Amino acid sequence: MSRLLALLSVLLFATTPVAAQAPGVSLAPTAVAAGPQRTERIEAELVSMSQWAAPGSTAIVAIRQEIQPGWHTYWRNPGDSGGATALEWTLPSEVSAGDIVWPLPERQRLQTLMNYGYQGQVYLPVPIQIPRDARPGTTIPLVVTALFLVCSDEMCVPDELTLRLNLPIRDGAAPLDATHGAAIQSVVETAPRPAGIEARVALEGGVLRLTATGGPLAGLEPGRAWFFPFDSGTVAHAAPQPGERGPEGVTLDLAPGGRITASGLTGPIAGVLATDEGAWEIEATPGPALSGAGGGAALDLSEGEASGEGVSLIGFLQAALFALLGGLILNLMPCVFPILAMKAASLAGSAHDPKEARRDGLAFLGGVLATFFVLAGALLALRAGGQAIGWGFQLQSPGVVAALALLMLAVGLNLSNVFHIGAGLQAAGSSQLSRLPGGVGAFSTGVLAVVVAAPCTAPFMAFALGAALVMPWPMALVVFLMLGLGLALPYVVVSLSPRLLGLLPRPGAWMERLKGVLAFPMYGAGLWLIWVFARQAGEDALGVLFVAALLLTLGLWLVGINQARRAEGGTAVVSAVAAALAIVSAIGVSGAAVSLARSESNAGSAPAGALASQPWSEQAVRAAQAEGRPVLVNFTADWCVTCKINERTSLGSARVAESLAATNAVYLIGDWTRRDDAITGELERRRRSGVPLYLVYAPGSPEPRILPQLLTEGVVIEALEAARP
């Protein structure tokens, strides 16, 4: 009986007129307090995407909904029952509000009904036009009365809340709001929009056959697809939508709704076509089926959301396999070379003690997996909290880069016998590398391997990590751990194989010489990180970091003096105190260097290179396309070794420069050295979790061609020629 009453209540609301969203009302704002308002079922707040708005600009604000578990609100077309969220604005004169930018809804099945709506936290962005004569230094009060129909499986309650935001007015471009800006921007950028898709619809034998081709649908992988109509009565929402893939698009067979059943197909049908790869607005005009929209694999009819975020078992297994392959290849990338050399030397040291070799191999694997678990957990937690970050996010922090540079210096000094860890001086002449004893040292080497591997992205990693970031967190963690398994696997296989261990040379004096040689890759890694820090933080901070490095070197040298004195049986109080003071001072001075880091607004400019370039933005891409010019986009970062190799060997070549000139192409650089939410959003749209990413746009084409992560001159030139008007 309770479910019957729930169905009757939502059906009654669906037939009740709902106030239309007013685009702008010239009324004095009512006395409403800013901040969140709540009922037992929902908390709502009017929030801004940016910290302020400039005169004459269009500001983006949003209705933030925090919906209690077990309840939901509705999309613009609620489906078989319910009602869309309605807004009534009270705004100062000459300030106007646009339409809601609706994010893609979820399909919510209630017995025989299918509704479209939202659960949990939802942002409904709305553009606000600011008058040109708005005075900087003032605030504009924005007041909206929001009517939410909040429903559970048992009942529906119309909740009306009046929300207020005092929007500051200032000159200049505004940064994102620290709390809500990234989340609102993500909704605005990923909300369904037209994408050059051509669509036709025909009523054949009581079935609406919808065909769509072109744009992002060309070459789409088989999976789920669903059509969300804008208007009720167009299709039967709860009916299955079977269909098939074609080389150029998709075909869906829809059950007609009540309006079309009664009156026939009298005009175009508009809505959102959602697939596992993305969602786009389409308008299907009456006409015969489009060629290339069918003839391929049948679409998946599972109830999972076809919203670009659906994860099938096959997709999960594919991402895990690609992560394993990416981890294996990561061993060959330049940023891992120093640690790879340390692993090889350590393995040689224990090669003829199988028990020790097995222990070290498994401990190294444990260090790698534990570090990947921590990094992946932090990444997923921060993204769940609304942060726009991706793989390598820790290296966007000057503080982390400075700490890693000093760590590389310390490791190099240890390998140079300036000081010793674990073993005393008695081990200096032995065949053992000076390192932490036993499995602890192998575990620590695994941790260090993951830390320095972060700047590199190997083939297969981009797909795997990009897919992981839209999976449920347990699946995502498995994908990250598979990447770690791939990184550690060669070392573990050798350590567990007596035959392979027997091929390694026996320990001897050569290992001491090798240890000294291995110090120099560590020094090189430290110098590279210092260069990255300089790019992030500026010359003044670089000078202070040099002082910190000098103090750290002094402190560790004094540690070695202290160890030598104690090995001779003497006291070493003075050297111990001096070493502690120097190391503590180094930590303090490095903190001062980080505090001098220049602000984000002055950092992250496009890196210098052999090619003339401009900073990337969506507006720059559209402007170049409007001029009929191809566009080459390079998303890079100074800490990304793969990026720098591509820029030196391929993008910086004379032949590529000639091709850019011959095709009249525009070269844009998106610099991700420091955090940039706009670039992060673009990476996510391309199903990537980090850099490098290379795109080539042809004039008039909304979707780019994605180039391989490891470039050659020929690949770049061929892509530019193909994009020539």
Side-chain angles (χ1 to χ4, degrees), residues 206-437:
V207 174
L208 279 175
R209 172 151 291 186
L210 174 69
T211 55
T213 60
L217 296 181
L220 198 67
E221 293 294 328
R224 287 183 295 268
W226 191 268
F227 178 68
F228 296 84
F230 286 156
D231 299 320
S232 295
T234 304
V235 304
H237 302 294
Q241 296 186 359
E244 58 186 8
R245 275 285 298 115
E248 298 298 325
V250 296
T251 297
L252 288 175
D253 289 335
L254 313 175
R259 177 171 60 82
I260 292 181
T261 301
S263 306
L265 182 62
T266 58
I269 296 175
V272 171
L273 178 62
T275 74
D276 284 338
E277 302 298 324
W280 307 276
E281 289 186 5
I282 63 171
E283 184 177 80
T285 56
L290 296 169
S291 62
L299 296 175
D300 184 356
L301 293 179
S302 62
E303 282 287 329
E305 287 303 312
S307 62
E309 298 186 2
V311 181
S312 65
L313 178 60
I314 293 177
F316 165 66
L317 294 177
Q318 185 181 31
L321 175 62
F322 277 19
L324 179 66
L325 294 174
L328 286 168
I329 298 174
L330 198 58
N331 283 283
L332 305 178
M333 304 305 288
C335 51
V336 189
F337 280 162
I339 305 302
L340 188 64
M342 289 181 64
K343 288 193 296 181
S346 175
L347 189 61
S350 59
H352 299 279
D353 185 344
K355 183 178 180 180
E356 182 181 350
R358 286 194 298 271
R359 180 203 63 197
D360 284 1
L362 295 176
F364 176 77
L365 174 64
V368 169
L369 294 182
T371 310
F372 263 105
F373 183 86
V374 171
L375 274 179
L379 174 61
L380 296 172
L382 290 171
R383 288 178 63 86
Q387 300 294 312
I389 56 176
W391 175 248
F393 70 97
Q394 67 274 22
L395 291 176
Q396 294 176 326
S397 165
V400 173
V401 173
L404 289 176
L406 296 179
L407 175 62
M408 295 298 131
L409 173 62
V411 173
L413 293 172
N414 174 247
L415 293 173
S416 296
N417 281 332
V418 172
F419 73 104
H420 305 276
I421 299 176
L425 277 186
Q426 294 88 345
S430 72
S431 62
Q432 294 293 322
L433 284 174
S434 178
R435 56 179 174 84
L436 289 171

Side-chain angles (χ1 to χ4, degrees), residues 354-708:
K355 183 178 180 180
E356 182 181 350
R358 286 194 298 271
R359 180 203 63 197
D360 284 1
L362 295 176
F364 176 77
L365 174 64
V368 169
L369 294 182
T371 310
F372 263 105
F373 183 86
V374 171
L375 274 179
L379 174 61
L380 296 172
L382 290 171
R383 288 178 63 86
Q387 300 294 312
I389 56 176
W391 175 248
F393 70 97
Q394 67 274 22
L395 291 176
Q396 294 176 326
S397 165
V400 173
V401 173
L404 289 176
L406 296 179
L407 175 62
M408 295 298 131
L409 173 62
V411 173
L413 293 172
N414 174 247
L415 293 173
S416 296
N417 281 332
V418 172
F419 73 104
H420 305 276
I421 299 176
L425 277 186
Q426 294 88 345
S430 72
S431 62
Q432 294 293 322
L433 284 174
S434 178
R435 56 179 174 84
L436 289 171
V440 177
F443 185 92
S444 301
T445 305
V447 173
L448 193 60
V450 177
V451 170
V452 300
C456 277
T457 301
F460 301 107
M461 277 180 61
F463 168 83
L465 298 187
L469 293 181
V470 298
M471 290 178 180
W473 68 265
M475 288 184 173
L477 283 178
V478 171
V479 172
F480 275 95
L481 292 177
M482 290 295 287
L483 179 62
L485 178 61
L487 178 63
L489 195 57
Y491 184 84
V492 174
V493 168
V494 174
S495 69
L496 297 179
S497 173
R499 178 172 295 183
L500 293 176
L501 286 172
L503 299 177
L504 297 176
R506 290 188 174 276
W510 67 271
M511 293 191 64
E512 281 301 308
R513 292 190 293 272
L514 177 62
K515 185 178 70 171
V517 171
L518 292 180
F520 290 93
M522 295 293 104
Y523 295 139
L527 289 173
W528 166 68
L529 287 165
I530 287 175
W531 174 77
V532 173
F533 179 82
R535 297 278 296 180
Q536 292 176 329
E539 296 178 356
D540 292 342
L542 175 63
V544 177
L545 185 62
F546 279 144
V547 174
L550 179 63
L551 288 170
L552 179 64
T553 304
L554 173 62
L556 295 179
W557 177 76
L558 288 170
V559 168
I561 296 295
N562 177 270
Q563 291 173 331
R565 180 62 176 161
R566 287 190 293 112
E568 295 169 355
T571 58
V573 176
V574 175
S575 60
V577 173
L581 288 175
I583 293 174
V584 170
S585 298
I587 295 172
V589 173
S590 64
V594 173
S595 68
L596 286 175
R598 58 193 179 188
S599 65
E600 287 190 31
S601 60
N602 295 325
S605 58
L611 300 179
S613 64
Q614 303 172 27
W616 170 85
S617 68
E618 290 187 1
Q619 293 79 10
V621 173
R622 289 196 293 268
Q625 288 186 298
E627 296 174 359
R629 303 176 66 182
V631 182
L632 171 61
V633 182
N634 171 17
F635 290 105
T636 182
D638 287 337
W639 42 261
C640 171
V641 178
T642 309
C643 305
K644 294 299 146 189
I645 292 175
N646 284 335
E647 288 165 15
R648 299 292 187 273
T649 61
S650 300
L651 293 173
S653 73
R655 290 182 59 209
V656 170
E658 292 171 359
S659 180
L660 281 168
T663 57
N664 194 28
V666 176
Y667 181 40
L668 304 179
I669 292 182
D671 189 1
W672 210 44
T673 300
R674 298 195 69 175
R675 176 174 166 176
D676 187 310
D677 291 344
I679 292 177
T680 304
E682 184 67 14
L683 293 174
E684 291 175 347
R685 278 196 296 276
R686 307 302 169 195
R687 304 297 292 271
R688 297 292 188 267
S689 65
V691 291
L693 174 63
Y694 306 104
L695 308 176
V696 175
Y697 290 84
S701 174
E703 291 300 314
R705 173 179 174 181
I706 300 178
L707 303 186

